[in-house]
Amino acid sequence: MSLHKKTSELKKRMQDALSGGGAKAIEKQKATGKMTARERIITLLDPKSFYEYDLFVEHAGKDFDMSDKYLPGDGVITGTGTINGYPVCIFAQDFTVAGGSLGWMHAKKITKIMDHAMKLKVPLIGINDSGGARIQEGVNSLAGYGEIFYRNTQASGIIPQISVILGPCAGGAVYSPALTDFVFVVDKISKMFITGPEVIKTVLGEEISMEDLGGARIQAEITGNAHFFSNSEQECFDQIKRLFSFIPWNNIKKADPFPKKPPRSRNYKIENIFPTNPRQPYDVRDIIRAIVDDSDFFEVQEMFAQNIVIGFARMAGHTVGFVANQPMVLAGVLDVDSSDKAARFIRFCNAFNIPLVTLVDLPGYLPGIDQEHAGVIRHGAKVLYSYSEATVPKITVILRKAYGGGYIAMCSSHLRADFVFAWPTAEIAVMGPEGAANIIFRNEIKNAEKPEEVRKQKIKEYKEKFANPYVAAAYGYIDAVIEPSETRNLLIHSLEISSDKSEIRLNKKHGIPPF
Ligand code: HXC
C-alpha cells in the first residue's frame, strides 16, 4: 500500500474515533450547555498545545452484547499539553460515549497518563463527566477505579492533581476527585454523588433532585468537596489557569516568581478597613488585599466554612498561602468545617513549597453540643497537626483576638512559626475578658454591693493585664509588636530571609494525623 493510501486509512480511522458518541449524543451534550470532551481540553490548554494518545484504544467488554459495540477511544481522551506555557497531563471523559462510564481499557488510558504525569513530574488534570463504573464490565470496572485511586494516592504531594467535574459524576467517578488537591465545579452542570436519586428513592424512599443532592452549589457551599465554583465551563477553565499561575509543577520546584507589585493602596488601606471598635467585624480579605502584590488574592473554597479564609497571593512576586480567621462570619471561630478547610490547605502549601502567612483574629474553637458531637476535637486537632508538621516558612500576624486554643492553633510560635508579629490591638489570653472575669472573680462579683460595677471593674482589670500583646511579648512568644502599616514590609523581609529554610523532622514512615 502506498504512503498516500496508508495516510488516508489513518485519517479515516481518526475520523471515526474522533466522532465520539455520534451527532445525536453530541447534540444532547450541547443542549445541556456542556462542551464536548475534546472541546474542553482544547479550550483549557494553550492553543495548539494538545497532543492526544491512545485514540485507537478499544474497550474490553464482552458481556451484555458489548463485544458488538464500538466505543470510540473507550469514552476518554488522554494526552499532554501546556497551560500558561507549562506542561500538564490531562484526561477528559466523553459522556457521549456510554455515558463516560469507566471500563477496564478506559481506566488503563487514565492510569497510563497518570503514570506519565508522575514520571515527568507535571500536574495532572482530570475532566470528569461519567456515570461511574461501567456496569457491563463488572469487576474489571471496579479494578480500574482501584488502580486510579492507588495512583491518586501515590501522586499526592508530588504533583498537583486537579479535578474538574463537568457532568453527572456518580460512584467511582467522585472518589478519584476526592483524592485530588483541587476540585472545580460549574453551576447547573456539575453533579457529584455516590449513589444518585434513583437509588436513594429505592433504598430509602427519599426523593431529591440531582441538583439538590449533589449540584455544584451543594458541593461548594455545604459539603466542601469542591474548591472552586463558577457559572460556566469557560469561567472554570480561566480559574484553573489562574490557579496554575500560583502553584509549582511538582514538589521539588517552587512556584514561578512574578514581578513585584505594590498593593492597590487607593482601594485597600488598613486604617480604613480595620475598625477601632474591637467588637466590630471586618472583612479579613481586605486586610490581605492591603498587604499583597497588586491586592490580588485568589481565594480557595470561598463559599465553604467562610469563618476561615484560605487562598493564594504574592508578596514581592512570590506565591504565599494565606490562612486567616474571618471576623465577619461566626467571629472567625475554628469549628469542624473551618478546621478541615484550613488543615488541608496548609498541607497542600507545605507539600508544594509555598510559605504560609497566618492572620489571627478569633475567640477560639466554637463551643456547643452540635460541634462537640460532630467531632470538633478530632477535626480541630487537624489544624494543630498540619501547622506542626509544616516545614515551609510560617509567619503569623495576630491582628486582634487570639484566645485559648485558637491562639495555639493559628500557627503560634509553639507550633514552630518562624516569626510571630502582633499588632498593638492584639489580645492574647486564655479567654475573652468578659468570660474570664465572670469565672475568676465570681465570688467578688457575687458578694459585692454593686455587682455590675465590680464586674465592669474586673473586666477592665483583666483587659489591662492580659488583653494585649505585651504579656506574650514579655515571654518572647511574639517576636515583635508592630504598627499595622509595617506589616507588608516585615512580611516580605521575613519571607525573603526564610526562603532557604530547611527543617529536618524525625525520620518516620508517616505520621498519623487525626483524619
Ligand atoms: C454503563 C452507563 C453508566 C454506567 C450511564 N451509562 N452510566 N453505562 N455503566 N455506569 C450510559 C447509559 O446507559 C446511557 O447509554 C448513556 O450512558 C447516557 O446515560 P443517561 O442515563 O441517558 O444520561 P442521564 O440521563 O444524563 O443520566 C446520567 C446518570 C445516569 C445520572 C449518570 O446515567 C446514572 O444514574 N447512571 C448510573 C450511575 C451509577 O449508579 N453509577 C455507579 C456505578 S457503581 P445509552 O446507550 O442509552 O446512550 C460505581 C462503583 C465504584 O461507580 C465504586 C468505587 C469506590
Side-chain angles (χ1 to χ4, degrees):
M1 211 190 282
S2 69
L3 179 61
H4 175 71
K5 276 196 174 156
K6 292 248 178 203
T7 312
S8 306
E9 186 196 342
L10 169 65
K11 281 189 178 152
K12 165 79 179 69
R13 281 175 180 264
M14 284 180 76
Q15 207 179 357
D16 291 347
L18 292 170
S19 65
K24 229 178 168 181
I26 292 174
E27 202 180 303
K28 192 176 160 196
Q29 172 96 347
K30 298 248 180 192
T32 54
K34 292 159 64 175
M35 296 186 198
T36 64
R38 212 166 260 105
E39 281 168 354
R40 285 168 171 166
I41 292 179
I42 287 166
T43 313
L44 171 61
L45 298 186
D46 294 339
K48 298 200 169 133
S49 74
F50 178 57
Y51 289 94
E52 182 169 350
Y53 313 121
D54 288 335
L55 177 65
F56 298 127
V57 160
E58 292 185 16
H59 74 83
K62 295 189 185 75
D63 302 319
F64 303 105
D65 300 329
M66 283 298 283
S67 37
D68 303 333
K69 283 195 179 155
Y70 170 54
L71 302 181
D74 203 7
V76 63
I77 297 161
T78 61
T80 51
T82 62
I83 287 190
N84 306 336
Y86 295 112
V88 293
C89 287
I90 190 163
F91 70 85
Q93 294 176 307
D94 185 348
F95 195 82
T96 67
V97 177
S101 58
L102 182 135
W104 178 242
M105 293 308 292
H106 178 123
K108 288 263 290 185
K109 282 181 74 170
I110 294 177
T111 53
K112 192 169 160 187
I113 204 70
M114 291 176 87
D115 290 342
H116 275 306
M118 278 289 274
K119 267 186 285 184
L120 308 175
K121 290 228 165 21
V122 300
L124 175 78
I125 301 174
I127 302 182
N128 299 267
D129 189 359
S130 166
R134 187 172 300 150
I135 296 160
Q136 299 91 325
E137 289 198 35
V139 71
N140 276 334
S141 312
L142 301 181
Y145 270 125
E147 294 291 331
I148 293 171
F149 301 159
Y150 174 78
R151 282 170 178 79
N152 283 136
T153 310
Q154 296 308 305
S156 179
I158 293 183
I159 50 168
Q161 299 182 81
I162 311 293
S163 294
V164 196
I165 309 293
L166 291 181
C169 290
V174 291
Y175 271 122
S176 171
L179 290 166
T180 62
D181 303 316
F182 295 107
V183 176
F184 290 73
V185 291
V186 177
D187 199 19
K188 309 284 188 307
I189 288 178
S190 314
K191 280 131 191 104
M192 300 171 79
F193 32 75
I194 298 298
T195 49
E198 297 277 334
V199 178
I200 291 182
K201 193 172 167 192
T202 313
V203 178
L204 298 165
E206 293 170 357
E207 287 200 38
I208 188 160
S209 67
M210 272 203 234
E211 192 64 37
D212 290 342
L213 180 64
R217 219 164 252 287
I218 300 286
Q219 304 301 351
E221 263 178 31
I222 295 174
T223 67
N225 288 330
H227 300 81
F228 296 96
F229 173 93
S230 56
N231 290 302
S232 67
E233 296 196 7
Q234 182 61 58
E235 189 187 341
C236 169
F237 297 151
D238 291 342
Q239 286 176 340
I240 296 170
K241 287 180 199 166
R242 195 153 141 69
L243 173 66
F244 271 106
S245 76
F246 284 102
I247 62 175
W249 307 355
N250 59 45
N251 67 336
I252 297 164
K253 290 187 183 295
K254 287 188 178 181
D256 267 359
F258 276 61
K260 177 178 175 176
K261 279 186 181 175
R264 282 178 262 136
S265 51
R266 244 186 316 141
N267 301 349
Y268 301 104
K269 272 201 172 77
I270 292 177
E271 60 267 35
N272 295 344
I273 302 160
F274 192 69
T276 41
N277 175 356
R279 288 167 170 273
Q280 200 178 315
Y282 59 92
D283 189 342
V284 76
R285 291 173 300 187
D286 287 341
I287 300 284
I288 297 173
R289 291 184 186 111
I291 57 179
V292 301
D293 287 13
D294 203 25
S295 301
D296 182 16
F297 178 52
F298 185 49
E299 193 170 349
V300 176
Q301 285 189 304
E302 187 180 345
M303 295 156 79
F304 176 66
Q306 294 179 22
N307 39 326
I308 204 147
V309 168
I310 56 173
F312 300 106
R314 292 187 189 88
M315 301 215 65
H318 298 280
T319 298
V320 172
F322 272 86
V323 180
N325 307 116
Q326 175 56 289
M328 272 199 337
V329 181
L330 291 171
V333 285
L334 280 172
D335 59 3
V336 167
D337 285 344
S338 62
S339 296
D340 279 7
K341 175 174 163 180
R344 197 146 195 262
F345 182 71
I346 293 162
R347 295 195 99 199
F348 177 86
C349 291
N350 190 45
F352 289 100
N353 313 311
I354 297 173
L356 285 158
V357 170
T358 303
L359 303 184
V360 186
D361 186 352
L362 84 165
Y365 281 98
L366 181 62
I369 299 166
D370 284 356
Q371 283 293 307
E372 295 291 348
H373 288 187
V376 70
I377 298 173
R378 180 165 49 90
H379 292 279
K382 294 176 192 174
V383 182
L384 302 170
Y385 196 102
S386 48
Y387 269 131
S388 298
E389 74 171 349
T391 54
V392 286
K394 297 184 285 192
I395 323 252
T396 301
V397 186
I398 303 175
L399 312 186
R400 209 161 60 173
K401 293 195 257 337
Y403 294 160
Y407 157 72
I408 307 169
M410 292 302 290
C411 206
S412 59
S413 56
H414 322 293
L415 306 189
R416 302 297 180 268
D418 298 293
F419 295 99
V420 180
F421 306 119
W423 287 3
T425 44
E427 299 175 18
I428 301 159
V430 174
M431 61 170 69
E434 288 78 6
N438 281 343
I439 294 172
I440 57 177
F441 303 116
R442 184 186 299 154
N443 287 337
E444 281 169 81
I445 295 170
K446 201 169 83 185
N447 298 331
E449 249 177 55
K450 294 182 177 166
E452 203 37 44
E453 260 175 41
V454 174
R455 206 173 72 85
K456 276 190 187 149
Q457 177 56 31
K458 293 295 177 191
I459 289 172
K460 196 166 161 260
E461 267 174 42
Y462 182 91
K463 264 190 192 160
E464 278 162 12
K465 179 80 186 146
F466 290 120
N468 61 63
Y470 301 107
V471 179
Y475 284 108
Y477 298 145
I478 283 168
D479 298 292
V481 182
I482 60 166
E483 286 185 37
S485 58
E486 286 180 82
T487 308
R488 175 175 160 85
N489 287 344
L490 197 50
L491 280 175
I492 290 174
H493 171 73
S494 330
L495 289 163
E496 270 167 4
I497 60 170
S498 315
S499 64
D500 287 331
K501 176 188 172 188
S502 89
E503 205 169 38
I504 308 293
R505 292 282 192 259
L506 289 178
N507 191 21
K508 58 184 166 183
K509 198 167 171 187
H510 60 71
I512 304 155
F515 282 159

